[in-house]
Amino acid sequence: MDTHSQLARHGLFDARVPRYTSYPTVPHFGTTVGQTAFSEWIESIPAGSAISLYLHVPFCRRLCWFCACRTQGTQSIDPVIAYVQTLKQELALLGQRLAPAITLARLHWGGGTPTMIPPDLIRDLADAIFSLAPLAPDGEFSVEIDPNEVDAPRLDALVAAGMTRASIGVQDFDPEIQRTIGRDQSHDLTRSVADMIRDRGIHSLNADILYGLPHQTTQRIAESVQKLLALSPDRVALYGYAHVPWMSRRQQMIPSDTIPKPEERLCLFETARRLFTWDGYAEIGIDHFARPDDGLAIAAATGHLRRNFQGYTDDTAPVLIGLGASSISRFPQGYAQNASGTSEHAKAIRAGRFSTRRGHAFAGEDQLRARIIEALMCDFRVSRAELLRDFATTPARLDDLFAAARSRFGDFFEVTAQGAAISAPGRPLTRMIVRTFDEYDHGTARHSAAV
């Protein structure tokens, strides 16, 4: 039986599973974590720590139909201006609870479209952040940039504020696909923005591209990847398009009969993967690629690769604080998520309190299982010695946990005296394999396709 048939036999082309950017996953967050717990977790951060900060800017000039992120459209800049003021108030609340001498290992502005913020407010917001906590000497400040919504003054403001890495969303360069997903963005425009970024001394450039989009074929994705490679990004995220119209109403604009079948999605991914590796990119986890000298490739090679809500990262800070509507924070104690709506979030901040509405406090085997899942997602292997050193578990318990995956996936999941690993042919099954370590019920949760 060939590998494709074995993957099909294990249900790869039928399964829907979480992406495991957290454990437990967001559908299992509850209301037991609120602003009190969030405040206490902030206050427990030791003085002198390096933490990471994520700012969510949920506004877009236009709503791309493929996107399932928490965003809202606006043609006016007024809501963006008001939102920046809310972020500054939220930063002030955070500053009241942070211990002294905190620095930022990572700062990321995501969205939505952070580059909708006017230049003067970019500088104002950055000043508020760095007066709270400066960027660590080896820290990184990254910003998601929409080529359709950026210009020289805003790039100048971001560079002056200290941006060190830019991330450009590409999705696909094919005109028919772009029309179908509501995202018009020419290669010439994207190249121009990439050149503008590099001309300003920013040499770290990320790009996102999607497979599984409507009307996508292996020839079309090959052409888009080759156009992307002409921009020489330092790292690339090759995400599978998640068609979830029951969750994201705007995706109902995309005809379901134009979406590639799961078997075709795997061919699309493999086509893109081969082109990236042929061009010298290192494979990172299940869906990222990076130049060998990029921090992500170095982290993968040295065992320091991690996974968070932005995907794969070389950020090893133990705390990630999310600011803005719907943002999620991660602490050693658990997860905390802000109110999703901008009005509800702003109301809480104006009243002098955080807008935390839900989350999860770690209990039982949560952290053990989380590390097993993260290690397999990042490195395709997990070390018994590391687990026994870092968690209150036993060899017998690890044997039981590994046995469940071995029983379900056979030779695709190898168990040894040193630990466990996903074999190279079994890597397309990675999300399905790690789900065997997830003890939460997914019976009512609807996830994206496994491939």
Side-chain angles (χ1 to χ4, degrees):
M1 184 182 297
D2 62 25
T3 300
H4 189 278
S5 299
Q6 292 183 63
L7 295 175
R9 183 170 61 85
H10 284 290
L12 175 65
F13 303 125
D14 303 309
R16 289 187 172 275
V17 288
R19 293 185 184 273
Y20 288 108
T21 52
S22 71
Y23 180 79
T25 57
V26 175
H28 296 285
F29 289 3
T31 56
T32 54
V33 172
Q35 58 181 301
T36 300
F38 181 61
S39 296
E40 291 174 350
W41 292 351
I42 291 171
E43 291 168 356
S44 71
I45 300 171
S49 296
I51 68 171
S52 293
L53 200 63
Y54 171 79
L55 270 70
H56 185 60
V57 181
F59 297 99
C60 294
R61 188 81 64 185
R62 53 179 185 157
L63 294 178
C64 302
W65 301 334
F66 73 89
C67 182
C69 298
R70 292 188 180 275
T71 57
Q72 59 193 78
T74 178
Q75 292 300 309
S76 169
I77 200 64
D78 292 343
V80 180
I81 293 172
Y83 186 80
V84 169
Q85 299 310 313
T86 300
L87 286 174
K88 289 171 60 180
Q89 290 177 277
E90 193 174 6
L91 285 162
L93 287 176
L94 178 61
Q96 294 171 11
R97 291 163 177 81
L98 277 178
I102 298 294
T103 58
L104 299 180
R106 296 288 187 277
L107 170 62
H108 184 73
W109 293 9
T113 311
T115 46
M116 279 192 71
I117 302 175
D120 58 333
L121 289 186
I122 287 175
R123 290 185 287 267
D124 198 25
L125 181 57
D127 287 345
I129 293 168
F130 294 129
S131 65
L132 173 73
L135 201 64
D138 58 349
E140 184 175 279
F141 175 14
S142 57
V143 180
E144 294 177 15
I145 291 174
D146 180 353
N148 289 292
E149 192 64 44
V150 74
D151 53 22
R154 280 178 283 187
L155 284 177
D156 289 339
L158 287 168
V159 171
M163 180 178 72
T164 61
R165 180 179 293 275
S167 182
I168 295 179
V170 170
Q171 323 321 334
D172 195 286
F173 285 119
D174 185 89
E176 182 184 17
I177 294 173
Q178 289 186 353
R179 286 193 298 270
T180 307
I181 66 175
R183 172 83 174 205
D184 292 326
Q185 180 181 315
S186 70
H187 181 258
D188 288 342
L189 172 65
T190 309
R191 174 185 287 280
S192 174
V193 171
D195 289 344
M196 290 169 65
I197 291 168
R198 289 200 166 109
D199 288 346
R200 285 160 173 77
I202 305 301
H203 301 296
S204 297
L205 182 65
N206 299 4
D208 296 346
I209 191 168
L210 296 178
Y211 70 91
L213 288 170
H215 302 299
Q216 210 171 40
T217 64
T218 54
Q219 180 179 344
R220 284 180 167 182
I221 199 170
E223 290 172 353
S224 286
V225 168
Q226 288 167 342
K227 288 180 178 179
L228 178 59
L229 288 171
L231 307 180
S232 298
D234 297 274
R235 65 178 70 162
V236 177
L238 175 63
Y239 292 127
Y241 166 59
H243 191 58
V244 288
W246 58 84
M247 184 181 75
S248 178
R249 293 178 59 187
R250 73 191 74 163
Q251 288 189 355
Q252 295 173 12
M253 301 289 291
I254 299 175
S256 295
D257 60 0
T258 64
I259 305 296
K261 294 179 175 60
E263 293 88 344
E264 295 169 331
R265 286 171 62 95
L266 183 59
C267 291
L268 292 168
F269 174 83
E270 286 296 329
T271 297
R273 183 189 69 81
R274 286 194 294 269
L275 288 171
F276 286 123
T277 56
W278 285 343
D279 208 57
Y281 285 78
E283 291 188 67
I284 310 296
I286 63 170
D287 55 16
H288 279 51
F289 302 85
R291 293 291 187 193
D293 59 349
D294 182 79
L296 206 62
I298 294 170
T302 58
H304 295 99
L305 188 66
R306 295 294 181 264
R307 191 159 172 83
N308 64 18
F309 292 104
Q310 283 76 58
Y312 289 106
T313 179
D314 54 1
D315 178 15
T316 58
V319 172
L320 168 66
I321 297 178
L323 300 181
S326 80
S327 282
I328 301 174
S329 300
R330 184 200 67 231
F331 297 88
Q333 300 91 332
Y335 296 102
Q337 184 174 24
N338 291 346
S340 297
T342 53
S343 59
E344 183 184 3
H345 173 71
K347 181 179 179 181
I349 299 301
R350 285 196 300 266
R353 62 179 187 276
F354 294 112
S355 77
T356 315
R357 289 293 178 270
R358 56 202 298 267
H360 180 85
F362 294 136
E365 291 186 329
D366 282 348
Q367 290 172 293
L368 169 65
R369 291 172 181 266
R371 180 55 194 150
I372 293 173
I373 289 171
E374 182 182 51
L376 291 172
M377 289 288 293
C378 290
D379 306 317
F380 304 110
R381 64 183 182 275
V382 62
S383 162
R384 286 181 186 268
E386 176 197 326
L387 297 176
L388 292 169
R389 180 194 68 206
D390 295 341
F391 302 96
T393 190
T394 65
R397 180 56 182 149
L398 295 181
D399 286 339
D400 289 342
L401 291 170
F402 294 157
R406 173 69 177 180
S407 174
R408 170 71 174 80
F409 293 99
D411 291 342
F412 286 139
F413 188 75
E414 304 163 349
V415 180
T416 67
Q418 288 71 42
I422 299 171
S423 67
R427 289 182 182 180
L429 296 165
T430 295
R431 288 165 58 202
M432 295 177 65
I433 291 172
V434 301
R435 187 175 180 175
T436 63
F437 297 96
D438 185 344
E439 66 177 345
Y440 291 88
D441 178 20
H442 289 272
T444 59
R446 302 178 71 180
H447 299 288
S448 59
V451 60

